[in-house]
Amino acid sequence: QGGENNEGGYAYYSEEMSRNKLDLLRIETGLMHAFEYDELLLYYQPKVDMHTGIVTGAEALVRWQHPERGLLLPGEFIPIAEETGLIVQLSDWVLNAVCTQARAWKEAGLPPVRIALNITAREFTRSLPDRVRAAMSRYQLDGEWLELEITESMLMHGTDRVIAIMEMVCNLGLTISLDDFGTGYSSLSYLKRFPINTLKIDRSFTMGIPEDTNDCAIASAIIGIAKQLRHKVIAEGVESEQQLQFLKDAGCDELQGYLFSPPVPAQKFHEMLMSGKRLELSSDKNAGGVA
Ligand code: C2E
Ligand code: MG
Ligand code: MG
Ligand code: MG
């Protein structure tokens, strides 16, 4: 049956199947406890301006400090949370945790830095603007502290309704990024109709730069579309100097990736902001000879 699990190849083996079912159940009950016992936490991966090297914001990425299995990445529990409906509770937790953190940074005297939340299709409903508004007032935060990352698939569901939701969110001062851009099934004509601020080039394209000419072409094309539509464009998963150089030459605005920093705990991100850590633009022709 559909939705059994996503590793289709294993589905034929009943032993594997029951093992997976057990795993699923174990993760589901474990996740219910995770809220109670405070086992979830957020890491922050900085976004940096490619031309100034300055940190412009961060993406909040959820982790689960599992009592037996150690630090779990979202790939191991988000799909299960989605399947079981626990994603609703998880999303609320993430929104509150991000706002709590942003509030602490605000009180520490930091100027606003946008923290992006990943929003699943399931939470992209009329109640989303209300939830965001309520959190902003509870934590006394302006919209410039927050950003939403949504995926292309969300643009296809009930267009007018989705536009209305996005506009409400934008009116609160948030920005919206289109995550994993280029991997989903969507028509380019959607792009002009939605209030999107940023296109996020998926890591699968960044990975192939500079060797794979197709990936290079796709990345350049996405940057071109973003420029034409006056959207900002950011590349995810940037790991090498060559990728940085290529993307920069192609006109990409920002990057996220191990080259600058992996996702880090809140304290570490705070220190990064305090110390003014910058992307080294060593491959810059101007900076080349300077000691
Ligand atoms: P995403 O939003 O596309 O996030 C980017 C993923 O790429 C993150 O994985 C990040 O750690 C990883 N990454 C970043 N830079 C690099 C790099 O240079 N090289 C490599 N190899 N990987 C890099 P992570 O944290 O495992 O998150 C996976 C996905 O889980 C995210 O993909 C996002 O879709 C989802 N996710 C994470 N946190 C949340 C959340 O709070 N709510 C929801 N609904 N989904 C979340
Ligand atoms: Mg994301
Ligand atoms: Mg992404
Ligand atoms: Mg991605």
Side-chain angles (χ1 to χ4, degrees):
Q1 76 232 44
E4 171 63 42
N5 68 40
N6 42 23
E7 276 146 47
Y10 287 12
Y12 299 107
Y13 303 97
S14 56
E15 223 172 84
E16 276 293 340
M17 231 161 95
S18 48
R19 201 184 65 82
N20 285 339
K21 264 191 186 142
L22 258 179
D23 276 354
L24 197 136
L25 203 67
R26 224 177 266 138
I27 295 200
E28 184 184 358
T29 42
L31 201 48
M32 275 148 59
H33 286 117
F35 295 108
E36 219 176 303
Y37 297 115
D38 244 7
E39 292 167 4
L40 296 176
L41 65 161
L42 291 177
Y43 272 37
Y44 297 85
Q45 186 175 36
K47 301 183 178 189
V48 290
D49 188 298
M50 271 190 196
H51 302 279
T52 63
I54 294 171
V55 174
T56 59
E59 176 178 8
L61 295 157
V62 70
R63 269 95 183 93
W64 177 7
Q65 186 62 60
H66 193 281
E68 288 129 34
R69 298 171 59 196
L71 197 66
L72 299 186
L73 295 176
E76 296 188 69
F77 59 92
I78 293 267
I80 294 169
E82 280 181 325
E83 240 176 281
T84 57
L86 282 171
I87 191 73
V88 175
Q89 204 179 338
L90 186 116
S91 305
D92 266 331
W93 183 88
V94 172
L95 178 60
N96 279 303
V98 164
C99 290
T100 302
Q101 188 57 68
R103 174 58 190 252
W105 284 330
K106 183 183 167 184
E107 287 192 340
L110 288 183
V113 51
R114 276 197 200 277
I115 310 299
L117 299 100
N118 289 286
I119 302 292
T120 60
R122 185 155 175 170
E123 34 173 340
F124 207 76
T125 62
R126 287 214 181 274
S127 65
L128 181 68
D130 289 335
R131 284 174 51 220
V132 173
R133 193 184 300 109
M136 284 167 61
S137 90
R138 189 175 335 127
Y139 295 94
Q140 293 292 296
L141 291 170
D142 296 326
E144 31 176 4
W145 282 92
L146 300 172
E147 176 170 351
L148 302 185
E149 294 194 5
I150 65 171
T151 55
E152 283 165 84
S153 60
M154 264 167 259
L155 305 187
M156 309 177 343
H157 305 305
T159 309
D160 288 345
R161 194 180 58 91
V162 171
I163 292 176
I165 295 166
M166 288 172 82
E167 276 169 355
M168 283 189 269
V169 167
C170 290
N171 288 338
L172 295 172
L174 278 75
T175 52
I176 298 178
S177 293
L178 211 45
D179 205 355
D180 303 334
F181 187 73
T183 61
Y185 170 81
S186 80
S187 150
L188 290 177
S189 70
Y190 283 129
L191 281 184
K192 65 175 186 193
R193 304 172 52 198
F194 292 85
I196 293 156
N197 305 88
T198 306
L199 296 187
K200 224 174 158 178
I201 300 172
D202 189 63
R203 186 166 72 87
S204 61
F205 304 123
T206 308
M207 264 165 52
I209 301 171
E211 297 85 6
D212 188 314
T213 51
N214 291 328
D215 286 339
C216 289
I218 292 168
S220 301
I222 293 174
I223 293 165
I225 292 167
K227 297 278 136 179
Q228 293 292 317
L229 295 173
R230 295 199 178 77
H231 294 328
K232 212 170 69 176
V233 56
I234 179 168
E236 64 177 24
V238 176
E239 296 183 355
S240 73
E241 288 281 342
Q242 289 119 298
Q243 290 168 347
L244 164 63
Q245 198 57 55
F246 178 91
L247 290 160
K248 201 172 154 194
D249 291 345
C252 192
D253 302 305
E254 298 187 3
L255 73 79
Q256 216 180 347
Y258 295 168
L259 178 66
F260 182 71
S261 170
V264 294
Q267 179 58 32
K268 195 136 187 243
F269 181 63
H270 189 179
E271 284 163 15
M272 226 180 254
L273 292 172
M274 296 298 284
S275 69
K277 178 181 161 151
R278 283 188 186 205
L279 176 70
E280 298 245 356
L281 301 165
S282 54
S283 52
D284 221 21
K285 287 170 199 101
N286 305 330
V290 183

